[in-house]
Amino acid sequence: MTQEEIARWRARNPRAFGPPPLERAVFWAGMALLAAWLVWVFWLFDITPERILNGLSGLGTIILLMIPPSPGELWLDILQGLAESVAMAFLGTFLAALVAVPLGFLGANNMVLNGLARFSLRRVFDGFRGVDSLIWALAYVRAVGLGPLAGVLAIFTADFAVLAKLYAEAIENAEKKQVEGVTAAGGARSLAIRFGVLPQVLPVMLAQALYFFESNTRSAAILGVVGAGGIGLQIAERIRVRHWDEVAFIILLMIATVALIDWISGRIRRRLIGTADGRVR
Amino acid sequence: MSGLAVSDAVLRGEAAFQAARRERRRATLFALALLAACLYLAGWVSEVNPEVLIAGFPRVTEYFIRIMPDLRWATLFADSETEGSLASWFYRWDAWALLLLETANMAALATLGGAAIALVLSFFASRNLARSQWSYQLARRTLEALRTVPEIVYALIFVWAFGIGALAGILAIMIHTIGALGKLFSEVIENADMRPWDGVRASGGTWGQACRYAILPQVAPNLISYSLLRFEINVRGASVIGFVGAGGIGQEIYTVISFNYYEEISAIVLMVILTVTAIDLLSERLRHRITDAAGAR
């Protein structure tokens, strides 16, 4: 291959030899912007190598103090906190699912025909979703006092809107034929919902509630940090007094509990979805 | 004769139907009883029962009514000194906007750092590229350990090690992000087409070169899309990580709620919702554009 052959190929098929100059310029400009932003945020948050090194050595000390993990003397409190977290997650999810069912029917477009009401309802749903459950927990602690009730209410508030939205989608995706069948056989509208829609959507709804229960076990574990009961309170207290071996123990216990709940709920979920599939086919 | 046979079949069918119905009813009843038992147990452990809920209800409504702003139509657009105006409701909006900007930047930096480290780890944690069983298991288990601990727990610990401030929060979110993104990244990589990989390896490319030139171009759009999705989640996380002193708007939310500055609570939460929604919409646009461009190629 001679030089001029290469030049000819380059002229015929420039993109095969790498991006054109303009694209390259845009790329490097983007990189320069990224670098400038990085310099700015490092300055803004005062991130220096010295601070990172100091912090890492502090972290190393903490990790050394964590070994071996120990339940400490108040291990009964830890177990109670863990049970409280799971109970909070369960009650919060149960209440959220309970409220979400009628809201889901209101939000579904094949059930309620008023478009404007539905639209505003969905925007409200989205708004609830934008607030983290920790913020709700803090507010409920001020409203109803310290304790698990605040946690239950926080989980409920953070989730019922999202669940309602998912339920509305499930209802919209339900097959119409069953409803038509019940109506054709002379069933009233309520009967059509009970025997036409509910059997189709109930397994999906239950499965979604279980899925939320799993994720809520994780959130319930930390709600105690702001005083809403559960294991989070125990962990925050022990970090405050720097009992790192007990902190490590609680973290390990939390991971084990979450894994256990995931496993149980996953099994039930698969069974539910399985029967739903079986029934449709 | 035939009528008898039919009625026999009908009877058998009816009996089978009744049996199946009994079975299902029994299963439903059992599930309901189990649910009731769980509910009772959960209520007993957490000391939450219907009475407590009903007693708490008026206090909750009272609280939410109190945090609503006292807006008056006549003075709605007056300056911040006037009672009942929008400006007096949001009288510290500039400070909050700055804090929100800081929060978003914390989330962005944590996502960027987390995604970069997750990218490196995910190549080791993908079954199809694994160099050895040993490094594969190590990378997998590391990612798992990083994502199972909640961000706020990391933040609580890091505040001790790195001092109060945004650095602790950024690192806490970053650590969690590495675990969460690393798993998603390695799943994408496992689904990548292996023919380019074989090509690069056959022409003498090293493992690293094959990752860079055979795999990365295929998976980059998906990885960026996942990172943007994680950025949305991290903005929410960063807005509360200040509760434990790890920077961002969380500190301000904590103060406002703890000291019962009622109207400020609704103002600040509204600003958080608006910011989160705006970032979500923007990032969703971007994600769709990236996946569309990748699909068109």
Side-chain angles (χ1 to χ4, degrees), chain A residues 37 40 45 55 134 142 148 239, chain B residues 46 102 105-106 152 160-161 166 258:
Chain A
W37 173 74
W40 179 67
F45 298 129
L134 221 50
R142 305 308 302 178
I239 287 176
Chain B
S46 63
E102 196 181 300
N105 275 306
M106 279 171 65
I152 212 106
W160 277 105
S258 305

Side-chain angles (χ1 to χ4, degrees), chain B:
Chain B
M1 211 44 203
S2 70
L4 193 71
V6 165
S7 72
D8 202 32
V10 166
L11 278 177
R12 262 188 290 125
E14 180 69 17
F17 170 69
Q18 291 295 348
R21 198 158 78 162
R22 266 202 305 280
E23 183 60 34
R24 266 194 64 181
R25 283 212 172 136
R26 210 166 48 218
T28 312
L29 269 178
F30 177 72
L32 281 179
L34 202 64
L35 179 70
C38 284
L39 273 178
Y40 179 78
L41 193 69
W44 178 71
V45 168
S46 63
E47 289 160 14
V48 176
N49 47 48
E51 286 146 57
V52 174
L53 275 177
I54 290 163
F57 190 70
R59 282 152 82 187
V60 171
T61 24
E62 190 202 15
Y63 184 80
F64 280 105
I65 290 169
R66 283 182 85 167
I67 66 170
M68 283 301 131
D70 179 26
L71 292 178
R72 281 179 221 126
W73 190 245
T75 56
L76 194 61
F77 299 104
D79 61 352
S80 60
E81 303 296 317
T82 325
E83 281 277 309
S85 69
L86 276 177
S88 75
W89 185 25
F90 283 98
Y91 80 107
R92 263 158 59 77
W93 71 272
D94 44 350
W96 293 334
L98 263 177
L99 279 170
L100 276 168
L101 185 74
E102 196 181 300
T103 310
N105 275 306
M106 279 171 65
L109 188 59
T111 314
L112 189 73
I117 299 175
L119 179 68
V120 176
L121 281 176
S122 63
F123 282 109
F124 292 94
S126 304
R127 200 172 302 122
N128 51 347
L129 312 184
R131 311 199 65 180
S132 70
Q133 192 60 28
W134 198 80
S135 66
Y136 166 73
Q137 289 294 345
L138 186 71
R140 282 250 139 168
R141 296 292 92 81
T142 309
L143 291 176
E144 221 163 65
L146 292 183
R147 70 170 172 268
T148 34
V149 180
E151 277 162 10
I152 212 106
V153 174
Y154 281 128
L156 276 167
I157 296 170
F158 288 175
V159 162
W160 277 105
F162 293 88
I164 285 176
L167 180 59
I170 293 169
L171 287 173
I173 300 174
M174 194 172 97
I175 296 283
H176 193 82
T177 303
I178 295 173
L181 278 183
K183 180 185 180 229
L184 294 171
F185 283 6
S186 62
E187 273 167 14
V188 174
I189 292 174
E190 280 173 3
N191 286 323
D193 182 6
M194 288 305 278
R195 278 172 301 184
W197 171 271
D198 292 338
V200 174
R201 293 294 269 174
S203 52
T206 60
W207 186 83
Q209 283 169 335
C211 287
R212 164 68 185 85
Y213 293 103
I215 303 293
L216 195 63
Q218 290 185 57
V219 296
N222 266 327
L223 302 196
I224 294 172
S225 166
Y226 274 135
S227 305
L228 281 171
L229 197 66
R230 190 69 216 179
F231 173 59
E232 295 170 33
I233 299 171
N234 282 347
V235 172
R236 285 181 173 79
S239 69
V240 292
I241 207 134
F243 280 19
V244 295
I249 192 135
Q251 180 73 50
E252 182 76 12
I253 300 179
Y254 194 84
T255 315
V256 163
I257 298 183
S258 305
F259 289 92
N260 283 335
Y261 296 144
Y262 289 110
E263 286 195 5
E264 287 177 37
I265 300 174
S266 54
I268 206 166
V269 167
L270 199 65
M271 273 182 83
V272 170
I273 293 179
L274 286 178
T275 312
V276 166
T277 316
I279 289 179
D280 280 8
L281 285 176
L282 235 108
S283 141
E284 203 182 314
R285 276 258 172 95
L286 214 58
R287 272 191 290 126
H288 283 308
R289 190 177 287 186
I290 288 168
T291 41
D292 285 352
R297 202 174 290 160

